[in-house]
Amino acid sequence: MQRDDAYNTHDRALEFLRTRYVADKTLESAKDSEDIQIAIAVEEIGDGETRVVLRVQTDNEATWRAIDEMRGAGVVPKDAQVEYIGRMYGLGPQDAVSPIQPGVSCAPEIGPSGTIGCFARRGDVPFLVSANHVIAQENNGVVGADGVVQPLAGAFGVRTIAVLHDFEPLSTVGGNAMDGAIARLTINDIDPRLFSGRRIATVRPTTTLVSGNRVFKFGQMSGEREGIVLSTISNISLEMRFGTYAFDLHIEVSSPADRPFSIAGDSGALVYDEMDRAVGILIGGNQSTRSYVTPIERVLGRFELTLM
């Protein structure tokens, strides 16, 4: 549809939602409207074409009934795309969240925070996946004893969400194959979708990556950012809290200096491609034009895990 038509549709749909499902919230007959969260988006798709898309944040019967009513009343096209995006927050590095999702902050019981990369399982046992230098403190964590907290120690609402289970030791001599660690989850309120609403459930083999491929990550400090695969790189040294470590056969990602792919606090975040396939775990960079990523298939293989 044309741009003006799309915005007119947007206005009608918004008025319909607010009149029927917001203004009437106090009515007994509309109690379930409190669980309805539908956003209206206008997408510019090029060549003068525009479309209206529904972004759904509540996955329940009341929400889908509301969408059917909107279509039936003609306030949105019957073929309007519907995308589930989940709950959204104004997230800072010290915000406690529930349910716990990949992309939010986590930290050892004593130490700075990083990012939960993803959830994975071995059999029926669920694990949190992040970087060694985030949840295992560069080999200083005690397996089976040290807790992982969210968001970080001392923050309002902090709680223990997992216990350190295993990590690949980092070495200051020679090249490291990964910066990875896992913690066994001790809570039940988890959501495997990224905090941005994406569901990353499949893995892209590293061998299929080529220079110029677009990749993304969602980190607790910078949110979702886009970068470009630059190379597979070896002997790249990263300075961390307790040492400097070289990494081999890692993914190098480039980004504009004014919109870096990663910044401090994003370590451990999951990196994925345009088809929502997992690519790797962010481990570091210069907070500007370069970021470095451990391939996810290497991490999952080392810890014998499958993505949730």
Side-chain angles (χ1 to χ4, degrees):
M1 64 179 71
Q2 295 298 308
R3 191 171 190 273
D4 288 346
D5 293 335
Y7 276 98
N8 287 335
T9 300
H10 162 277
D11 293 345
R12 288 196 303 271
L14 192 58
E15 182 180 4
F16 182 90
L17 281 174
R18 288 183 172 164
T19 299
R20 183 163 178 77
Y21 298 111
V22 177
D24 292 343
K25 273 187 178 180
T26 57
L27 299 180
E28 185 68 17
S29 61
K31 284 194 300 184
D32 64 354
S33 68
E34 295 184 14
D35 296 322
I36 295 172
Q37 293 183 30
I38 304 169
I40 314 298
V42 176
E43 294 185 347
E44 308 279 354
I45 56 179
D47 296 326
E49 284 296 308
T50 311
R51 66 181 178 186
V52 172
V53 179
L54 303 181
R55 312 280 197 217
V56 176
Q57 295 186 257
T58 48
D59 186 3
N60 56 40
E61 290 184 9
T63 296
W64 299 110
R65 283 200 305 269
I67 291 172
D68 287 341
E69 284 194 42
M70 294 171 71
R71 287 172 167 159
V75 296
V76 296
K78 293 186 182 299
D79 61 351
Q81 179 183 342
V82 179
E83 179 186 8
Y84 177 78
I85 61 172
R87 298 165 66 185
M88 296 291 166
Y89 306 83
L91 181 67
Q94 296 189 3
D95 286 340
V97 302
S98 179
I100 302 297
Q101 294 176 255
V104 305
S105 58
C106 69
E109 291 173 324
I110 300 176
S113 66
T115 298
I116 298 173
C118 59
F119 297 138
R121 65 173 66 251
R122 184 188 299 158
D124 294 329
V125 181
F127 294 92
L128 172 163
V129 180
S130 190
N132 174 330
H133 80 267
V134 172
I135 62 173
Q137 301 189 78
E138 297 169 53
N139 312 335
N140 289 301
V142 180
V143 169
D146 285 359
V148 175
V149 300
Q150 200 287 318
L152 76 167
F156 177 77
V158 64
R159 60 174 172 153
T160 300
I161 62 172
V163 175
L164 184 64
H165 185 81
D166 197 3
F167 59 84
E168 177 68 13
L170 290 169
S171 174
T172 57
V173 179
N176 291 276
M178 71 181 69
D179 181 358
I182 62 172
R184 181 176 53 81
L185 287 161
T186 57
I187 58 170
N188 294 320
D189 61 325
I190 64 171
D191 185 339
R193 287 174 294 222
L194 278 176
F195 205 67
S196 61
R198 294 178 182 270
R199 179 66 186 269
I200 313 296
T202 58
V203 173
R204 178 171 179 172
T206 309
T207 53
T208 67
L209 289 174
V210 298
S211 298
N213 283 162
R214 298 169 67 204
V215 291
F216 307 83
K217 75 97 194 55
F218 193 93
Q220 64 110 347
M221 287 301 292
S222 62
E224 188 169 61
R225 293 286 176 90
E226 177 182 340
I228 300 296
V229 172
L230 196 60
S231 73
T232 297
I233 195 167
S234 295
N235 200 39
I236 181 71
S237 292
L238 301 181
E239 297 180 15
M240 299 182 182
R241 290 177 67 207
F242 304 121
T244 299
Y245 311 94
F247 294 89
D248 290 345
L249 297 174
H250 273 56
I251 302 163
E252 183 180 38
V253 176
S254 66
S255 55
D258 61 350
R259 189 171 173 79
F261 187 68
S262 63
I263 61 176
D266 288 337
S267 286
L270 187 69
V271 176
Y272 44 95
D273 69 4
E274 293 176 287
M275 298 180 66
D276 290 347
R277 296 175 296 184
V279 170
I281 295 292
L282 176 74
I283 65 169
N286 62 0
Q287 303 193 73
S288 179
T289 59
R290 293 290 184 274
S291 298
Y292 299 95
V293 179
T294 293
I296 189 65
E297 58 186 351
R298 198 174 300 167
V299 176
L300 297 177
R302 160 65 175 82
F303 299 115
E304 300 179 325
L305 299 174
T306 302
L307 288 177
M308 291 176 63

